[in-house]
Amino acid sequence: MIKRVRVSQPRILMYHAIADPAHDPNKLCVSPARFEAQLLYLKQHNLRGVSVKELYHARSTGAAKSLIGLTFDDGYKDFLHAAVPILESFGFSATVFVVAGLLGKKNRWEHAHNPTPQMELLGATDLLEVSKRGMEVGSHSLTHADLSGLNPRMLEEEVKGSHRVLSELLGEEVAGFGYPYGHLNHAAVESVRQAGYAYACGWRILLKHGGGAYNLRRIYISEKDNHLRIAAKLKLYSQYSVITQRFKRR
């Protein structure tokens, strides 16, 4: 059952990998050519893609009308080698949510459809380069666990532990968190808040009450999203947020 509720949240797009795999059952990949076309659409409509950290700072000063958040879940290595150069060519920035306990390894967590392509993840040196080039690094937990099903001790380890690892690596406080699989509940939101993050992004599920900056919905973007679909998604998002209690993992 789908329930639509009005929201006043910033517009944030959600990507995963910028790559062209021959087999992509989980629909994680957007080709570089399609990604570039999507950013061109934003620029042609006087929208500038920015990190969520920058977006929230602009909102606090009333200057966010022409900004749209760009996020990348999982922290695939192609973010640095494919996404960042395209972002830079448009003068855009973005947030990449990385799995802090798997830096430099592969996406070995559970997926909805298997077998899924094994893709390399950003390593520690990569993250320093990403940050140096003006992109925001956020946490996607330690192991990409479903936070909504964890006991308090494991939840704290995934949330607070990943904050510590990334903050020490980057030499600055990590501001953002992306809920793995988009799963969140009140316990997960409170854990993220207590760990010291400034905001957190989900996907299809939102808490019906409360959460504030730790309860942000995003617009899922895929290879199929040409300029007409992007326009429709942005228009729909400006009016409604969709809450669904059942969905497939990505």
Side-chain angles (χ1 to χ4, degrees):
M1 178 179 181
I2 294 177
K3 179 181 179 181
R4 299 182 185 273
V5 295
R6 293 193 178 277
V7 293
S8 58
Q9 292 198 359
R11 292 171 296 180
I12 304 172
L13 306 187
M14 181 182 74
Y15 290 91
H16 285 80
I18 303 301
D20 289 300
H23 181 59
D24 183 23
N26 291 287
K27 296 180 174 58
L28 297 176
C29 299
V30 173
S31 68
R34 176 67 81 185
F35 179 57
E36 187 169 8
Q38 291 166 347
L39 297 193
L40 179 61
Y41 173 85
L42 297 181
K43 187 170 185 177
Q44 289 175 335
H45 288 78
N46 300 313
L47 295 171
R48 182 166 67 90
V50 297
S51 68
V52 181
K53 184 177 181 179
E54 182 177 344
L55 180 62
Y56 255 79
H57 176 72
R59 277 170 62 88
S60 69
T61 62
K65 185 176 181 180
S66 63
L67 303 181
I68 188 161
L70 301 178
T71 63
F72 293 77
D73 283 11
D74 302 339
Y76 295 106
K77 206 173 186 72
D78 57 66
F79 176 75
L80 175 58
H81 300 297
V84 169
I86 296 174
L87 289 162
E88 290 176 331
S89 72
F90 283 94
F92 291 0
S93 63
T95 298
V96 58
F97 293 119
V98 302
V99 184
L102 297 176
L103 300 182
K105 299 181 181 179
K106 293 187 177 182
N107 55 331
R108 64 190 188 195
W109 53 82
E110 181 182 354
H111 293 78
H113 303 287
N114 291 294
T116 193
Q118 292 294 293
M119 295 186 286
E120 293 186 2
L121 303 173
L122 294 165
T125 302
D126 298 323
L127 294 187
L128 293 173
E129 176 69 15
V130 163
S131 180
K132 181 180 178 181
R133 291 169 71 169
M135 307 297 155
E136 180 191 11
V137 177
S139 171
H140 205 41
S141 79
L142 267 181
T143 66
H144 205 286
D146 179 352
L147 302 186
S148 65
L150 299 183
N151 62 48
R153 182 186 63 79
M154 294 180 66
L155 180 58
E156 181 178 7
E157 182 178 354
E158 290 285 341
V159 175
K160 191 172 183 178
S162 58
H163 184 274
R164 182 181 64 255
V165 168
L166 295 176
S167 295
E168 289 178 357
L169 172 63
L170 297 170
E172 61 183 21
E173 286 291 307
V174 171
F177 189 90
Y179 299 102
Y181 305 112
H183 287 194
L184 68 152
N185 55 19
H186 287 285
V189 167
E190 188 57 29
S191 180
V192 171
R193 190 196 315 271
Q194 291 184 5
Y197 296 95
Y199 73 85
C201 296
W203 178 25
R204 292 180 178 177
I205 288 182
L206 291 179
L207 299 181
K208 293 183 179 180
H209 304 288
Y214 302 95
N215 188 29
L216 301 180
R217 178 181 174 256
R218 294 177 291 169
I219 307 170
Y220 168 68
I221 302 298
S222 75
E223 176 70 14
K224 294 181 179 181
D225 289 325
N226 57 23
H227 68 284
L228 293 176
R229 287 172 59 96
I230 290 284
K233 286 187 173 185
L234 290 176
K235 183 177 181 180
L236 179 65
Y237 186 80
S238 69
Q239 301 173 28
Y240 298 101
S241 173
V242 179
I243 297 177
T244 175
Q245 297 304 318
R246 289 186 178 182
F247 64 97
K248 293 180 179 180
R249 291 180 174 180
R250 290 205 184 278

